[in-house]
Every structure is written in C-alpha cells, then in structure tokens.
Amino acid sequence: MKEVKLAFIVLVLVSFYLVFLYLALTTGKLLHWKGFKGSEPWRNVRHAHRADDEPKDIHTKSHIRVFCWITTQEKALQDKIPAVNETWARRCDNKIFIMTTNVTTPGHSIVDFNIKDGRKRLAKKTIAAIKYIYQHYLTDYDWFLKADDDTFIVMENLKYLLSFFSQDEAVYLGHLFKMFVNPGYMSGGAGYVLSRQAVRRLVEEGYNVEGACRKGGTHEDVELGKCLKKVGVPAYNSLDDTGRETFYPLNLGEYIMGNLPKQLYRYDRHPAKTGMMCCSKLPISFHKVTPREIRMLEFLLYRAAVYGRDTDWTQFQHFFKAETEAPLPTQNR
C-alpha cells in the first residue's frame, strides 16, 4: 500500500513538473536561465519605438499634448519640408508650417501671414504665429514648440522633460544663451517650448498691451526672451542630471568633432561639451541638419536597434531638475 501511495505522489510531482516545463518554455521564462541550451537573448531586447507604431511605454508620456509651429520658406517645399513632415513632425500632436507663399500645397498645414521673408521680419512673423496659436489652439494643447525647418526633434524625450512641469504654470524651455537679457534667452534654432500659461501671458500681457513688448526686430528669439521676461515668464533649466544640454543649436557632428564656433562659447550660458561624451542620453533637438541628416537621424533613432542591448529606464527617474535659471552677474552678460 505504501508503494502505491509513493508511486502516486511521484506521478503527481512529475506531472506538475512537466506542466511547469511546458508553460515556461512556451512563454520564454526559462530561456534566460544561465547555461540553458538554446538561450535566445533577443527575447529580452527592448526595441526602439517605431514611427508607425502607437507609443505604448509610459516613458513616452503620450498624455502630454505638444503643438508644433515650424518656420520655413517656399524654397524648402521640395526638400526640407518633406524631410521634416515625414519624420519628427509626425510625432507632434498637431503642427503648422509658417511660410509666405502663393503656392498651393496640399498635404501641408501651411499658414501664411503675408509677411515677407527675411531676418528683419522674423520677430514680426513669430509674434503673428504666437497670436494665431493663442486664438485657435491654446486650450487644445498643453505645450507649444517652435522649430526651424532644419531642426530635428526627439519628441519622446521632449515629452519626458515636459512631464517634470505643469502646463498651467508659465514655463519657457530651450537652449539658453546668456546675451541681451538676464538670465538669458532660448536659441530659436535649437527650438524652444512655451507652456500654455506662458503663451497666454505673452499675448494678453505682452503683445496685446501697447508698449509692453517690441512688435518687430531682427532676432526673433532675443525679442521673445525680452518680452517673456517683461511679462514674468521665467526661463527654466533643461540640463540633464550630468549637466549636459538637451537642446542643441548645431548638429550632432559639430559637437562630437569639436568644431564649435567661438561665438557659441561666448553665448552659451552653460559651457558646451565636445567629443563622444558631448551630449545627453536623452537629446531633444539638433539644429542645422540637412534633409539627408534628418532622415539619417530618423533611421538611427527609430528604425535601428542594437542587438542584445536593453535600457534601464530607472536611470532617468530624476533626470531633470525643473529649476529656473538663476540671474547672471552683470559682468558676465
């Protein structure tokens, strides 16, 4: 009798083992055991988010709504605009291209303010764009990104930075230059971001008030920075936890090779870094990129993967400090 009971117990244990083994093999749970023959490390690879997939990871912060306005010219219709429109601009929650043109452009969301092209009119065009956004889109989006047609934006990284802030507070973010206004102004080429409250204050207390802010100027980013200061919108720090910039006014190659113009060192609020460790692990923007380079960045960031490499997302938990920039001493301006 004892032998029968023992045999029954052994049979039950073997059955449980076989069921466990079958489930483990079919779900891949055993495939990562050290020394298991036939190990398949690619099952544990976290692939880059593809442009044609809906973001599913919490790190994309898909609940944050970003409206993009992209400044361009008619001559860019055949190269720059398609490159931007087919790559990073697809990840904006909505977008418009600001361009003066008489050309009908189906498929492109182009807004024409009938302001002639030229650096002398850039500030006027930017003011028109911000007023247009205020009138038509302010309550539908949380954040408003300005970029040029030779800028590349990593939208997922931008949204992660923005998750450290509230769109209902007045926030101004980008690559900080320390000239002309204290504590500085954000580079227009690198792209800058305004919260919903910042846009509201900019229009209601700045552009709509006679004499509050200039209505023109050669340098749109400088004039914007001055007006934001007048209406009490602070410039915030967008450095990562290693002190590296995340918005870049030049292309990645210039930073890696160290070919930065002397003027950049004079303008930068935070000294530029060069070489292979130049840039943040979560870069947000690069400027002065050609249409060819825009598509290359798109492939490397969204189509390519490194076999066997996984990312520990916990390292980014406190990646940004969300602090305002301190005023500069007068002699440093």
Side-chain angles (χ1 to χ4, degrees):
M1 192 66 179
K2 290 182 179 179
E3 289 80 7
V4 174
K5 287 183 177 180
L6 182 60
F8 177 77
I9 293 172
V10 171
L11 180 62
V12 170
L13 291 173
V14 170
S15 299
F16 273 114
Y17 174 76
L18 291 173
V19 170
F20 170 76
L21 184 63
Y22 171 77
L23 292 174
L25 286 172
T26 55
T27 59
K29 296 296 184 184
L30 288 181
L31 294 177
H32 305 293
W33 286 8
K34 187 175 181 181
F36 189 87
K37 189 176 181 180
S39 176
E40 297 172 280
W42 59 83
R43 287 181 179 266
N44 197 38
V45 174
R46 188 190 301 273
H47 294 285
H49 167 60
R50 296 179 181 273
D52 53 353
D53 294 335
E54 288 296 320
K56 297 178 177 62
D57 196 285
I58 60 171
H59 304 290
T60 60
K61 301 295 178 184
S62 56
H63 62 281
I64 295 173
R65 299 166 298 172
V66 176
F67 183 94
C68 305
W69 89 88
I70 303 156
T71 58
T72 187
Q73 295 182 357
E74 187 177 295
K75 63 183 181 182
L77 278 169
Q78 301 304 317
D79 49 12
K80 291 183 178 180
I81 292 178
V84 168
N85 218 18
E86 294 165 11
T87 57
W88 68 264
R90 297 171 59 192
R91 299 177 196 100
C92 300
D93 293 287
N94 199 355
K95 63 180 181 293
I96 55 174
F97 289 89
I98 306 301
M99 182 175 71
T100 302
T101 181
N102 294 318
V103 178
T104 302
T105 53
H108 298 307
S109 302
I110 290 177
V111 177
D112 182 357
F113 296 118
N114 197 28
I115 299 172
K116 292 182 179 181
D117 293 329
R119 292 194 63 84
K120 293 182 179 180
R121 302 175 186 88
L122 278 178
K124 188 176 180 180
K125 194 174 287 189
T126 295
I127 293 169
I130 292 172
K131 283 187 171 182
Y132 181 85
I133 288 167
Y134 172 84
Q135 293 170 358
H136 296 90
Y137 298 106
L138 185 67
T139 59
D140 296 327
Y141 300 93
D142 306 312
W143 299 88
F144 300 87
L145 165 71
K146 181 267 179 185
D148 289 345
D149 57 11
D150 59 348
T151 305
F152 188 95
I153 303 292
V154 186
M155 186 58 65
E156 293 84 351
N157 293 350
L158 172 60
K159 287 190 175 185
Y160 186 58
L161 168 65
L162 297 179
S163 72
F164 286 74
F165 299 88
S166 169
Q167 70 275 9
D168 295 320
E169 296 180 1
V171 179
Y172 173 41
L173 288 161
H175 182 100
L176 191 65
F177 286 152
K178 63 185 179 182
M179 309 296 284
F180 306 117
V181 58
N182 195 351
Y185 70 95
M186 305 301 175
S187 161
Y192 51 75
V193 187
L194 300 170
S195 65
R196 182 192 302 139
Q197 180 60 23
V199 173
R200 179 179 284 115
R201 195 178 294 181
L202 188 61
V203 174
E204 294 178 359
E205 301 177 25
Y207 299 142
N208 286 352
V209 176
E210 189 65 32
C213 297
R214 287 186 65 186
K215 300 298 191 293
T218 303
H219 303 289
E220 60 91 16
D221 46 8
V222 174
E223 296 304 329
L224 180 79
K226 289 179 177 179
C227 190
L228 285 167
K229 182 176 181 180
K230 284 185 178 180
V231 299
V233 176
Y236 275 84
N237 185 309
S238 60
L239 301 179
D240 68 16
D241 62 355
T242 68
R244 291 180 173 86
E245 296 279 4
T246 51
F247 293 79
Y248 297 94
L250 297 172
N251 68 52
L252 176 60
E254 301 297 329
Y255 282 91
I256 291 175
M257 300 306 295
N259 298 324
L260 302 179
K262 291 181 180 179
Q263 187 177 17
L264 182 67
Y265 291 103
R266 191 162 63 91
Y267 271 61
D268 264 356
R269 170 69 188 263
H270 306 288
K273 295 176 172 61
T274 58
M276 291 301 292
M277 301 300 289
C278 65
C279 305
S280 175
K281 286 185 177 181
L282 295 183
I284 291 171
S285 74
F286 293 105
H287 185 219
K288 295 188 180 296
V289 288
T290 65
R292 181 173 179 267
E293 290 168 337
I294 286 175
R295 290 190 167 91
M296 285 177 63
L297 285 169
E298 177 77 9
F299 175 82
L300 292 172
L301 289 170
Y302 293 93
R303 298 293 176 182
V306 178
Y307 176 83
R309 183 176 182 178
D310 196 6
T311 299
D312 176 15
W313 292 107
T314 60
Q315 67 179 299
F316 301 120
Q317 188 174 0
H318 305 289
F319 204 62
F320 300 107
K321 295 181 179 180
E323 297 176 342
T324 55
E325 293 282 1
L328 280 166
T330 305
Q331 63 267 25
N332 289 343
R333 295 173 56 199

